């Protein structure tokens, strides 16, 4: 990843934008396999396409050993969206691969961004015609057969044969992982809402959708409660670690780079002496306020229809929530009401 061109967010070589890993060795693997990094099926007379995501990662690791990875102390496997799910599916396999090659000294860790999906009920059930209308479980069920998808052995053993698709869902695979993984997940992920058939374009949201969205946030929060290291802001968005605004978002007063730094240090310390987490260095950060953008540090929202930026009041009104009216009833300024709604009380 050449320093001259540089990336954004966690791929940036600028200390201001990437305070903790700006001078790390970085390798970017483009997503070209369309299989959530799980596939192991080559092109044949039967298969017109090759899906080799799992094998691509293994080959890259093999190649990197000869380029300096062999002397590394830590390998952080990070990814966003399908790449985030790919981290959960591959992190233990990468650790095993390096051990088998004789590099037991390299600590392998994962950073999964926006890849922690729920296999929940869709807001409106639709037939599985394409990737947008297909319910998450059905899409993965079909995909895994098509890609010849590989899931980690420890997760596979938890489920009956033919039920391996369960391992694509973070809350089901996470308890089976050996490597430490940091989970970054918006509580109201746009990709999740899309596959659940909640489309926030142009029209104000109906009450049923609004309740569904709030419930989604609650469900997601529940699945993260036993995840040791997590960062989950109550925002409507998708992907964060490669965005240049990734330093601005905070949960309970802590930014994501700081939380990652704390996590890194706590792993380093626990390797030394197995002590409890570091004081004043939080790594389990989940918003408790109940709806999209109740966290004031959320990224700016754009109207998907017009591209115009919206403030929180405009956004909530767009979502069918009458801030003005509610404030009036309470005898408050709208901004005061929003402040109260956003605080964790």
């Amino acid at each position: 990843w050449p320093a001259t061109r540089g990336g954004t967010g966690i791929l940036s070589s600028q200390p201001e934008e990437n305070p903790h890993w700006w001078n790390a060795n970085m390798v970017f693997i483009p997503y070209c396999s369309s299989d959530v990094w799980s596939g192991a099926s080559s092109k044949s007379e039967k298969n017109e396409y090759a899906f080799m995501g799992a094998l691509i990662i293994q080959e890259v690791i093999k190649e990197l050993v000869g380029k300096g990875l062999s002397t590394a102390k830590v390998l952080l496997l990070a990814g966003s969206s399908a790449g985030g799910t790919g981290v959960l599916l591959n992190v233990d396999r990468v650790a095993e691969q390096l051990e088998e090659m004789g590099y037991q000294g390299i600590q392998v860790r994962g950073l999964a961004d926006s890849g922690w999906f729920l296999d929940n009920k869709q807001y409106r059930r639709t037939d599985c015609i394409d990737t947008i209308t297909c319910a998450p479980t059905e899409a993965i069920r079909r995909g895994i057969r098509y890609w010849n998808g590989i899931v980690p052995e420890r997760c596979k053993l938890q489920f009956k044969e033919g039920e391996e698709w369960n391992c694509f869902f973070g809350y089901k695979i996470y308890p089976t992982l050996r490597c430490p993984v940091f989970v970054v997940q918006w509580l109201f992920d746009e990709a999740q809402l899309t596959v659940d058939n909640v489309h926030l374009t142009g029209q104000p949201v109906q009450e049923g959708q609004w309740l569904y969205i709030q419930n989604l946030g609650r469900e997601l929060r529940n699945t993260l409660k036993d995840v040791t290291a997590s960062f989950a802001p109550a925002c409507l968005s998708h992907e964060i670690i490669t965005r240049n605004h990734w330093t601005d978002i905070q949960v309970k007063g802590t930014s994501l780079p700081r939380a990652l730094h704390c996590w890194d240090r706590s792993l380093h310390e626990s390797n030394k002496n197995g002590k409890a987490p570091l004081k004043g260095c939080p790594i389990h950060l989940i918003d408790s306020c109940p709806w999209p953008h109740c966290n004031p540090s959320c990224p700016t929202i754009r109207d998907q229809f017009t591209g115009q930026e919206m403030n929180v009041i405009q956004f909530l009104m767009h979502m069918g929530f009458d801030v003005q009216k509610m404030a009036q009833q309470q005898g408050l300024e709208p901004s005061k009401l929003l402040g109260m709604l956003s605080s964790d009380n």
Side-chain angles (χ1 to χ4, degrees), residues 14 42 62 79-80 88 99 105 116 141 154 175 178 196 202 219 242 264 269 335 338:
Q14 306 302 315
S42 49
K62 262 188 229 166
S80 295
L88 299 168
E99 272 167 35
W116 185 275
R141 252 194 197 121
R154 279 165 62 97
R178 288 198 164 119
D196 286 340
E219 282 184 13
T242 55
D264 201 35
E269 294 293 317
S335 55
L338 278 176

Side-chain angles (χ1 to χ4, degrees), residues 320-341:
F321 183 94
D322 197 334
V323 182
Q324 242 82 16
K325 190 168 142 194
M326 196 148 162
Q328 222 170 0
Q329 287 169 353
Q330 308 286 332
L332 293 168
E333 284 294 307
S335 55
K336 180 92 198 284
L337 173 68
L338 278 176
M340 286 165 64
L341 296 176

Side-chain angles (χ1 to χ4, degrees), residues 1 3 6-27 73-79 107-112 180-184 229 241-242 246-247 255-268 283:
W1 191 256
T8 49
I10 203 168
L11 292 171
S12 169
S13 51
Q14 306 302 315
E16 312 77 60
E17 195 176 325
N18 188 11
H20 187 42
W21 283 304
W22 62 274
N23 62 348
N25 296 295
M26 304 204 194
V27 176
K73 290 189 175 68
V74 176
L75 167 65
L76 178 65
L77 189 68
Q107 292 174 47
V108 179
R109 302 171 188 168
L111 169 56
V181 174
F182 192 109
V183 176
V184 182
I241 59 173
T242 55
W246 83 304
T247 51
S255 72
L256 177 53
R258 169 145 170 77
L260 286 168
H261 181 50
C262 285
W263 175 60
D264 201 35
R265 275 179 50 206
S266 70
L267 291 172
H268 188 65
I283 57 172

Side-chain angles (χ1 to χ4, degrees), residues 11 19-20 24 69 71 73 81 110-111 129 147 157 171 187 210 216 223 280 303 345:
L11 292 171
H20 187 42
L69 179 62
T71 59
K73 290 189 175 68
S81 197
L111 169 56
I129 308 157
W147 311 318
L157 293 172
Y171 74 98
L187 289 181
W210 179 235
L216 175 71
T223 64
D303 185 315
N345 302 331

Side-chain angles (χ1 to χ4, degrees), residues 25-81:
N25 296 295
M26 304 204 194
V27 176
F28 179 74
I29 317 176
Y31 183 44
C32 57
S33 57
S34 307
D35 56 8
V36 199
W37 298 102
S38 74
S41 87
S42 49
K43 193 174 175 203
S44 64
E45 279 153 35
K46 205 173 70 181
N47 295 336
E48 195 185 341
Y49 298 104
F51 296 98
M52 305 184 93
L55 307 179
I56 290 170
I57 291 177
Q58 294 205 301
E59 288 304 316
V60 170
I61 296 295
K62 262 188 229 166
E63 193 176 318
L64 291 178
V65 164
K67 295 185 187 295
L69 179 62
S70 55
T71 59
K73 290 189 175 68
V74 176
L75 167 65
L76 178 65
L77 189 68
S80 295
S81 197

Side-chain angles (χ1 to χ4, degrees), residues 221-238:
R221 197 181 292 119
N222 273 337
T223 64
L224 291 170
K225 65 176 188 298
D226 297 326
V227 174
T228 318
S230 50
F231 186 86
C235 308
L236 176 76
S237 197
H238 184 60

Side-chain angles (χ1 to χ4, degrees), residues 91-92 96 108 154 174-181:
V91 67
D92 280 359
E96 281 154 28
V108 179
R154 279 165 62 97
Y174 178 85
T176 70
L177 296 178
R178 288 198 164 119
C179 293
V181 174

